[in-house]
Amino acid sequence: MISSPAGHAPRSAGRLLAVGTGLAALAVLLWAVGVTAWQPLTEPVGPWSERLPDAHTYWARDLRFLALMAVVSGLVLAGGGRRPWTLRAVLLGGGALAADVAVDRADPTGPGATVSLVALGWLAVALTAASAVRRDAAPGRDRDVLAGLSVVAVVLALGAVLTRAPTDREPELGPAALMTGLLLLALTVAAALAAAPGWGRARIVVAVGVAVVGGVGLPLVRLVGPADRLPPAAVLGAVLLVGVTVLTRPWPGGRPAWRRYALLHAKVTRRSAAPPRCGAGTTASTAGRTGRTGSPPTGSGRRR
């Protein structure tokens, strides 16, 4: 576990606690709206075409699950990736999935149901955070967990904006997917900054750049037609992952090691493209054709 210096722990811990629980609270709000406002839009309402297979969709359920994963991610961020917080966040996520199934079967609708679910969700987040605070005696951050969290959040954000439905009769899907994706983008940037070995003006500039690229790129991906979203989403994901990597890795000499990353990439590409070698410089393909593996020929290999 890579932790931050003990002298910086109290200040950074309070900052992470506020940011993480705040993002988790926003995720609870999205989940409650998904249950009470978006889910009824996907239910079959008529006796004919709406009851045919694939006429109703599951995009509201998918976005709700992503919101619950954002709740878990926010709590992990709030605790700096330390074990007590991570364990309790995962347990809360499992209980929240079970609660989601039960609430969905009850079919709550309307503003009153939304407010009630938000209040219950915020209470669960507060109790989980309070329990983790009592059990957590170790200061600092687990930078490895936070770096992994930032990568997971990038993938989830892309999954949110790629959410689609088999019909084009869901105008609420676009805004819902975009709000979920932007929330996960905020978790990405916050987790990457928390995983950074140090803060400085240059690293803050990179973090702002990642946020701007994601904040512009996610809506642009959403504007592309459903059948053509995957290529721009892949490009956006690659850019965001590079930014996350730059933020979370050490900077020798105070600047990102761009040149070292590009030589590493070329070396991996060459190794993956070259055939494996057997013995004294003989490739596997050559050995397969000649029957040699780099050892000198023996009499058993002579033709009789």
Side-chain angles (χ1 to χ4, degrees):
M1 182 178 81
I2 304 177
S3 302
S4 63
H8 299 281
R11 183 177 179 181
S12 64
R15 203 156 40 206
L16 285 180
L17 179 63
V19 173
T21 52
L23 292 174
L26 288 177
V28 168
L29 177 60
L30 278 181
W31 170 78
V33 172
V35 173
T36 59
W38 298 335
Q39 180 62 35
L41 299 175
T42 66
E43 300 291 343
V45 295
W48 298 109
S49 61
E50 290 79 6
R51 292 191 182 275
L52 294 176
D54 293 333
H56 61 288
T57 63
Y58 299 98
W59 61 265
R61 181 200 62 185
D62 296 340
L63 293 180
R64 289 203 319 270
F65 288 173
L66 287 174
L68 291 180
M69 296 180 75
V71 173
V72 174
S73 301
L75 286 174
V76 173
L77 174 64
R82 298 187 297 274
R83 181 175 297 180
W85 287 82
T86 302
L87 177 62
R88 282 160 177 76
V90 171
L91 291 176
L92 175 64
L97 286 175
D100 178 86
V101 174
V103 172
D104 184 33
R105 290 180 177 178
D107 292 329
T109 58
T114 304
V115 172
S116 299
L117 290 179
V118 169
L120 291 174
W122 284 355
L123 178 62
V125 168
L127 291 176
T128 302
S131 173
V133 167
R134 287 197 301 268
R135 294 286 183 177
D136 188 12
R141 299 164 291 161
D142 190 330
R143 287 176 43 216
D144 292 335
V145 172
L146 293 172
L149 177 63
S150 64
V151 173
V152 171
V154 168
V155 176
L156 295 179
L158 294 174
V161 295
L162 288 175
T163 303
R164 56 181 298 184
T167 66
D168 294 327
R169 295 179 294 175
E170 295 84 4
E172 295 82 3
L173 170 57
L178 189 56
M179 285 189 289
T180 306
L182 291 176
L183 175 62
L184 289 163
L185 174 66
L187 280 165
T188 298
V189 177
L193 276 175
W199 284 17
R201 181 177 299 177
R203 207 175 289 267
I204 296 297
V205 169
V206 174
V208 172
V210 172
V212 171
V213 169
V216 174
L218 292 176
L220 289 179
V221 170
R222 198 65 212 171
L223 289 176
V224 178
D228 301 322
R229 283 182 188 142
L230 190 56
V235 173
L236 176 62
V239 174
L240 293 178
L241 287 175
V242 169
V244 164
T245 303
V246 171
L247 282 173
T248 57
R249 300 298 299 171
W251 291 5
R255 64 182 61 185
W258 300 108
R259 188 171 300 175
R260 185 178 67 180
Y261 294 148
L263 293 174
L264 177 61
H265 180 270
K267 188 181 298 184
V268 171
T269 303
R270 286 198 301 268
R271 287 183 177 178
S272 61
R277 294 185 173 272
C278 304
T282 306
T283 64
S285 58
T286 305
R289 291 194 301 269
T290 63
R292 293 184 289 114
T293 59
S295 59
T298 61
S300 59
R302 295 178 181 173
R303 183 178 300 175
R304 296 181 181 179

